[in-house]
Amino acid sequence: MTFSPDSDLRVATLGNGVRVVAMRLPHVETASASVFVRAGSQHEGSRDNGISHVVEHMAFKGTATRDCQTINLDAERLGADVNAHTDKDHTAFHMSGLARDAGAFVRMLADIVLNSTFPAVELERERDVILHEYAEDEDDALATAFKLFDKMCFGSHPLAQPVIGLRRNIERFSRDELLGYVASRYSAPNVVVGVAGNIDPDALVREADAAFGAMKGGAVNAVEAATYVGGVAARRQPGFSQTHVVLGFPLPPQGADDHAGAVAAALFGEGMSSPLLDQIRERRGLAYYASCSADVMELGGQFVIEATTAPEHLDAYIVEVGRLLAQHAGHVDPVGLARARNQIAVRLLRADERPLRRLENAAQNLFVHGRVRARTELIERLDAVTAEDVRRAFETMLAAPPALAIAGKLGKLPAARYADVLAGALGRRASPAPVAPLAKAA
């Protein structure tokens, strides 16, 4: 095993390739343990889209030695919270409770990740639960807009696929398919075990070695980088009185370590004094909710502007956002730049105060960069971003075809109409990107 030199942080690589992160946080009396698996919707084909999410649900439904009731009781009799989530780039399993039980959390999570049996009878019950979750997601206009947005950004690449998957896949997945997916994706080089809290880091590394040291090896779950496409899509959803809009542009992926896009997003639309909120909400009343963020992933990045507006304000909203973007491609306000840097620094500090968030950040660092980067390193890189770097980031984004997704209440005009409005707002003569047919709710 190899270790990092930090006395309160241990990063160990077990003999089989499993990485272990143990963080001592002496100011808390609790501990959180997580297992991160580099298997998410970006690792799925179209026929198995959604299988990572189904595996996450089913992992708690029985192991070789415990049924689902025992799994829940074993955690809750210790007062522990149990949770899990699936994302595009990973699946994670969590337990949080008293620090003295951290070793037990690692052992119980190992049982869930390594020994799940996916009982057929439980699969049929859980299938209905997941289909209810799917229906809720389909009924959410903002979630629909984001799914359309991902498709417009990345086209047919797996990164464009929804984490929850496709209904027909959820209805079809068999126990054998789940077991086969786990056998092919859940291997030691794709796993990070993390523990944070008032713990002995060395002792928890030993616990992780005992629990995961025999996990099978294998190759890293690699996927080719996504190619950004751009395009416009719209979907009418009956029953909604407002329109949800997601507009975005490409950013470099995580591996590029380019922070200008993140600073640009904070400058443009984080906080009430940001240009987006000040102009769209405070001065023009075009939306109650609007925000801007940089979603930088392993395979690609997105500069994301989202808002909820009234259908009659949609054109004006798109025009004003286009004007603001063009303005920032010409000049970046130094006061706004300082505000953005400070907001990002505070966000990083707050994330460090949440053990599970710290563990997830560490796991993503290991998956992408092969090491856990110190918070001070990230803040230094952000502080090094200049006004010219940010201006250039806006200029580069606006040279690419935008991705625009609209869902909720829409008029009878075709999606091409919104493409032309956006083209005009960005100072272009023709439709800025391919246009998808106007879709109805599924």
Side-chain angles (χ1 to χ4, degrees):
M1 292 184 286
T2 57
F3 292 90
S4 72
D6 192 325
S7 60
D8 284 336
L9 172 68
R10 294 290 184 271
V11 181
T13 301
L14 306 183
N16 59 354
V18 169
R19 270 86 55 94
V20 183
V21 178
M23 300 179 181
R24 182 173 177 266
L25 307 176
H27 58 285
V28 299
E29 290 301 323
T30 59
S32 298
S34 298
V35 178
F36 301 91
V37 185
R38 193 176 193 167
S41 57
Q42 72 181 30
H43 301 98
E44 302 165 349
S46 59
R47 181 170 168 75
D48 61 357
N49 180 212
I51 197 168
S52 301
H53 180 243
V54 175
V55 165
E56 174 227 310
H57 274 247
M58 285 299 300
F60 295 92
K61 297 303 178 181
T63 69
T65 58
R66 299 188 295 163
D67 60 21
C68 60
Q69 287 74 29
T70 304
I71 288 172
N72 292 329
L73 180 58
D74 282 350
E76 292 174 358
R77 68 185 174 84
L78 299 177
D81 293 327
V82 184
N83 209 339
H85 74 262
T86 309
D87 211 326
K88 288 183 178 292
D89 58 355
H90 71 273
T91 303
F93 306 88
H94 313 287
M95 291 186 70
S96 298
L98 297 174
R100 71 187 185 198
D101 296 320
F105 300 159
V106 172
R107 292 190 294 274
M108 285 190 277
L109 287 173
D111 186 40
I112 289 167
V113 172
L114 302 178
N115 303 317
S116 289
T117 55
F118 307 110
V121 65
E122 294 291 347
L123 175 57
E124 294 313 310
R125 293 192 188 105
E126 197 64 21
R127 195 190 309 275
D128 287 337
V129 172
I130 297 170
L131 286 170
H132 285 304
E133 183 181 356
Y134 179 90
E136 287 187 11
D137 189 69
E138 283 290 289
D139 288 343
D140 184 334
L142 186 56
T144 297
F146 267 100
K147 285 186 284 187
L148 293 173
F149 176 70
D150 283 344
K151 282 290 185 185
M152 293 302 99
C153 286
F154 301 119
S156 60
H157 190 278
L159 190 58
Q161 297 181 141
V163 172
I164 199 165
L166 304 177
R167 175 184 286 276
R168 63 177 179 270
N169 291 347
I170 298 168
E171 292 174 338
R172 190 203 75 244
F173 287 137
S174 67
R175 176 176 181 270
D176 285 345
E177 286 177 290
L178 301 186
L179 289 169
Y181 183 78
V182 169
S184 66
R185 297 296 187 184
Y186 279 48
S187 57
N190 296 294
V191 170
V192 172
V193 180
V195 189
N198 194 4
I199 60 168
D200 176 347
D202 291 334
L204 267 298
V205 170
R206 290 192 293 272
E207 287 279 7
D209 192 20
F212 287 88
M215 188 177 190
K216 68 172 185 176
V220 171
N221 295 334
V223 183
E224 290 184 3
T227 299
Y228 180 87
V229 178
V232 181
R235 177 180 292 178
R236 295 190 187 97
Q237 290 189 281
F240 287 91
S241 61
Q242 291 193 298
T243 305
H244 301 277
V245 191
V246 186
L247 169 65
F249 301 87
L251 289 176
Q254 283 179 349
D257 218 13
D258 184 338
H259 299 280
V263 177
L267 186 152
F268 191 77
E270 183 171 341
M272 294 300 293
S273 65
S274 68
L276 180 68
L277 272 295
D278 182 59
Q279 292 295 323
I280 294 297
R281 173 175 163 151
E282 297 300 296
R283 297 182 186 272
R284 302 201 58 186
L286 294 175
Y288 169 72
Y289 168 75
S291 71
C292 182
S293 60
D295 191 0
V296 180
M297 300 164 285
E298 179 185 8
L299 303 180
Q302 297 163 303
F303 185 90
V304 186
I305 306 165
E306 57 179 297
T308 301
T309 187
E312 62 269 22
H313 291 157
L314 180 55
D315 283 19
Y317 166 79
I318 292 173
V319 168
E320 182 61 17
V321 169
R323 184 189 71 80
L324 289 171
L325 288 167
Q327 182 183 83
H328 283 78
H331 173 73
V332 169
D333 172 34
V335 174
L337 177 62
R339 169 186 58 77
R341 284 177 177 156
N342 288 332
Q343 285 174 313
I344 294 172
V346 169
R347 201 184 326 129
L348 288 171
L349 291 169
R350 284 177 175 165
D352 264 9
E353 294 170 357
R354 298 163 55 192
L356 285 176
R357 184 62 183 274
R358 286 188 72 168
L359 292 175
E360 184 169 356
N361 287 343
Q364 289 181 324
N365 268 258
L366 287 169
F367 286 147
V368 176
H369 300 287
R371 63 187 180 92
V372 178
R373 299 184 299 173
R375 180 187 67 235
T376 52
E377 177 185 343
L378 293 176
I379 291 177
E380 287 171 0
R381 288 181 180 274
L382 288 161
D383 284 343
V385 175
T386 67
E388 177 59 18
D389 292 334
V390 176
R391 187 204 65 77
R392 245 190 339 259
F394 277 104
E395 185 178 61
T396 300
M397 286 188 289
L398 293 185
L404 175 64
I406 307 169
K409 186 174 182 180
L410 299 173
K412 295 182 179 180
L413 296 170
R417 167 75 171 78
Y418 306 110
D420 289 339
V421 171
L422 180 58
L426 296 175
R428 299 170 179 176
R429 294 183 178 180
S431 295
V435 179
L438 186 64
K440 297 181 179 178

